[in-house]
Amino acid sequence: MALDPKKTFTDNEVEERLAADLPHWKLQDGWIRRTFRTSSWKGTLMVINAVGHLAEAAWHHPDITASYAWVEVRLMSHDAKGITERDFQLAKKIEEVVGWQPGTEAGGALEGTPRGDLRFSYIKYD
């Protein structure tokens, strides 16, 4: 059975889903939100571009606020006037992509960015 993309969730349902699946996200003022800390403007732009790519591919667009060393992503389905499954699914994909740390994967061939070297640091992982 297909999910109704416009079914909205109550605040309690949203809080439960966030606690279970997206612990770095919070419900505030009708939006689910996540702030990513970065190490520099370079990292901020990389996060914005990654989120932008995912949002465009999903055809579900967040509000984004940014500064030198952080990016806040806010999701809410405007047409449904609330939080829907689309918001949760896009938040999960953003979390997977932006939070990806290949150097921590067992048996992975990718090293990830060098840890402790500020020349290469771009995101502050939770």
Side-chain angles (χ1 to χ4, degrees):
M1 180 168 110
L3 296 171
D4 178 359
K6 293 189 180 183
K7 176 199 175 289
T8 59
F9 293 89
T10 67
D11 286 356
N12 286 340
E13 290 171 325
V14 171
E15 295 281 2
E16 287 175 11
R17 284 281 296 273
L18 294 178
D21 300 329
L22 296 159
H24 299 295
W25 292 72
K26 64 183 176 182
L27 176 65
Q28 183 182 2
D29 300 327
W31 300 80
I32 58 172
R33 301 166 180 251
R34 167 77 150 101
T35 299
F36 294 94
R37 302 283 173 202
T38 64
S39 297
S40 66
W41 183 241
K42 172 181 70 173
T44 294
L45 291 176
M46 291 172 75
V47 171
I48 291 170
N49 284 318
V51 170
H53 166 72
L54 296 171
E56 191 64 16
W59 201 246
H60 186 54
H61 303 96
D63 280 19
I64 298 173
T65 304
S67 188
Y68 178 81
W70 57 266
V71 176
E72 182 187 58
V73 178
R74 293 180 307 281
L75 289 165
M76 186 258 293
S77 295
H78 298 283
D79 59 345
K81 297 178 178 63
I83 306 301
T84 68
E85 188 61 35
R86 292 177 295 180
D87 301 302
F88 289 119
Q89 288 186 16
L90 183 54
K92 186 151 182 71
K93 185 54 70 177
I94 290 169
E95 194 70 20
E96 289 171 6
V97 172
V98 174
W100 182 44
Q101 297 182 59
T104 64
E105 295 175 346
L110 298 172
E111 296 175 23
T113 54
R115 307 257 179 217
D117 189 332
L118 294 178
R119 294 175 301 155
F120 304 109
S121 178
Y122 74 95
I123 191 164
K124 296 180 180 178
Y125 296 103
D126 295 319

